[in-house]
Amino acid sequence: MHIHKYEKIWLGFGIFSLVLFLSIIGVTAFAFNHHPAGGMETIDPEKLEQTAPFDHPGVHQIDEDTYEVVIVAKTFGYDPPEIKVPAGKKIIFKVASADVSHSFSIVNTNVNMMVIPGQINTKEYTFDKPGQYLVICNEYCGTGHHFMKTSIEVIE
Amino acid sequence: MKQISIGDRKLALTNIVFAYIAFLIGTFCGLLQVFIRNDALTLPSWLDYYQVLTAHGVLLALIFTTYFIFGFLISGMSHSLGAFGPKVRLFSWIGFIITTAGTLLAIVEILAGRASVLYTFYAPLQASGWYYVGLALFVVGTWIYSFALIGHYVKWKKQHKKQLSPLFAFMTISTLILWLIACLGVVATVLFQFIPWAFGWVDTINVELSRSLFWYFGHPLVYFWLLPAYMAWYVIVPKIIGGRVFSDSLARLSFVLFILFSIPVGFHHQLTEPGISSFWKFLQTVLTFMVIIPSLMTAFSMFGTFEKTGRQKGATGLFGWFFKLPWKDVRFTSLFIAMFFFIPGGAGGIINASFQLNEVIHNTLWVVGHFHITVGTPVAMTFMGLTFWLIPYLTGRRLTKSIQKLAFIQVISWSTGMLLMSTSQHILGLLGAPRRTSYAGYMKDPTALEWFNGILSNHVTMAIGGTILFLSAMLLIYIVFNTLFFAPKATTEKEQVEFPMAESDLEQTPKYLENWWIWICIAFALIAFAYTIPLSEMIHHAPPGSSGYKTW
């Protein structure tokens, strides 16, 4: 196949940028463990109330530096209604849905989790600054979708 | 002047008219949305925001695009390969009837308030079973169309043994192959998951599996919109500017690469959800990025053609060709602006598909901004640019001076409106404002109120953009109406509108590029590689299924 000389240069540039982009993403993902929210655990969406840890939604301290926050998303709100966590500690968010698909997205952070019925989603995050953080549902879930919110209070 | 047969013209025109009916209603729904988000409009109690949103998505993203694409492909195939035989024509009409029956059924369900599930129809939101039947009929209808066009091509190949087909026909077949393979996912989920569940034959649905099958289809769907626009850029633009196709073989190769790399990438829409392990998400990120190669090839070919043609016309210097382009020809200017919007659009796409960057913008208004400058401008505006000459070409009417002037106003107002609206959507998305919501201040939450304080990032800018877009759409409808029924008939050869199809040199094009079986096999191998293990995980380690919910 005949390829114009300039096109070869251009394609070389294209392939080089492709390799560069992918290396950056790959290194941050697998060497620095920067993965988006996820998890492979499943759960019966209709039996959340009987299944640990979703039978006790809320903030649980695991050790000195780690907290687990268990959240149930359902139309159109989150359980527990109030979340208070310390700044500078590792927070493990665990969310599950009791009905349709939702999301648990903490504005101004990169915690952006889809909440799919039947699946448990997990994400680790450390808040640097204390303050009030708005949490919204950004996956369409019905007529009350634009009212679905909660907030997280991050204390010293 | 060569004009296509009257039967084929009728077929193409009917499709285009249907496309614009959907466009008219769809853009009106868009207008309502920007004012509801601005809190300037309250809908009557029988109409819900999410109903309007569903109609907007379905009418513009699915119905307008698909009908227009088939109208364009039918005209071009008849123009480049000759008139359709009676069988091809009959099956095209059957395809049209079934697609239309599906469309009407889906629209009725949306209007009746039984299907406010948006065009992504994520389970376990449960619309009425008939909505899913409508969607299934829609897809089946397009398959019949596709096979009719492929039949026309096969017949041509038999009559022209060992010859490469014209570039337009080659690209049409690539687009249809992509469409047929992509639809397998949505057909599987609708037939085997949604329909039995919505009619109550089974109690529950595997949600994660349905989402993955949807996105197996949902991403190549974007390329089904885009490839006909690329066809216009590769084949129509060179002719309008008075040149030839830059390189026939590269054009074909880029379309082949689109078939290979647009399907096994659906997980990049699911990066922030559980149920798919990081490895498979990353793998599909890699495959998604491959699409950079044919996109850059296309960009090169376009500018290569511009420069080559410019130099033939006597342009000198590095950028002299720029001034030799026919800026006063709306058929060209519209397509050029459309291509220009694709530069930020494509860059934004790379951000969306990036493994971790996605969490910053996933499901925010950024995504809405993104597809308004990819589908809403490069694709839709290319279709508009084609409409200006395609309808007069099919009706045998003249493209008058006054219509050309209106067309310029239409194109410029569309770009202005889109620039305002999508820029504010991109910024709001970065700040964290969600997509797909009615007016929301989240009970006057200070963070939410702050989003809308910027000069560009406020609801007024979005509403102004949306209003300009709607006015522009109305102007387009007028142009369509006028060229369909009122513009004077072309009487002389000179007045007749042509189908501008550029010549391409076939001498250096390798034969294997048109050996479809090779590409179909590689495409399926890639799909099997990217999907077999994660999908079988979803089936074998499935959570208890979900029953249906109607939350609207």
Side-chain angles (χ1 to χ4, degrees), chain B residues 257-316:
Chain B
L257 292 177
F258 279 120
I259 298 181
L260 302 186
F261 291 114
S262 63
I263 300 168
V265 298
F267 287 171
H268 76 245
H269 290 258
Q270 301 174 276
L271 291 173
T272 63
E273 63 193 63
I276 304 163
S277 75
S278 269
F279 171 77
W280 295 108
K281 286 179 182 173
F282 186 77
L283 182 92
Q284 294 212 3
T285 300
V286 174
L287 291 173
T288 307
F289 272 49
M290 293 297 176
V291 107
I292 291 174
I293 296 174
S295 303
L296 289 180
M297 278 165 66
T298 305
F300 183 90
S301 294
M302 296 293 67
F303 285 93
T305 315
F306 294 158
E307 188 182 342
K308 216 165 151 186
T309 316
R311 287 197 192 280
Q312 274 161 9
K313 288 181 179 173
T316 49

Side-chain angles (χ1 to χ4, degrees), chain A residues 65-101:
Chain A
D65 293 315
T66 321
Y67 289 78
E68 182 184 70
V69 182
V70 177
I71 299 136
V72 173
K74 55 187 161 193
T75 50
F76 298 104
Y78 299 95
D79 192 15
E82 276 179 27
I83 303 168
K84 207 185 266 187
V85 294
K89 307 274 178 184
K90 184 159 89 178
I91 316 287
I92 302 167
F93 289 99
K94 277 195 166 183
V95 291
S97 166
D99 42 49
V100 299
S101 298

Side-chain angles (χ1 to χ4, degrees), chain B residues 497-512:
Chain B
V497 176
E498 61 161 349
F499 194 120
M501 207 178 266
E503 309 233 338
S504 63
D505 303 311
L506 294 173
E507 287 144 32
Q508 287 175 319
T509 307
K511 289 273 189 297
Y512 62 79

Side-chain angles (χ1 to χ4, degrees), chain A residues 9-72:
Chain A
I9 299 172
W10 177 245
L11 279 180
F13 164 76
I15 292 167
F16 172 75
S17 21
L18 180 73
V19 172
L20 180 74
F21 292 172
L22 287 172
S23 319
I24 295 171
I25 295 178
V27 169
T28 49
F30 297 101
F32 298 107
N33 205 26
H34 185 175
H35 296 273
M40 301 302 286
E41 281 174 88
T42 59
I43 191 166
D44 186 340
E46 274 158 28
K47 294 193 181 118
L48 287 187
E49 282 166 21
Q50 292 106 286
T51 320
F54 294 93
D55 49 351
H56 289 105
V59 181
H60 313 295
Q61 184 163 13
I62 293 180
D63 60 41
E64 184 71 6
D65 293 315
T66 321
Y67 289 78
E68 182 184 70
V69 182
V70 177
I71 299 136
V72 173

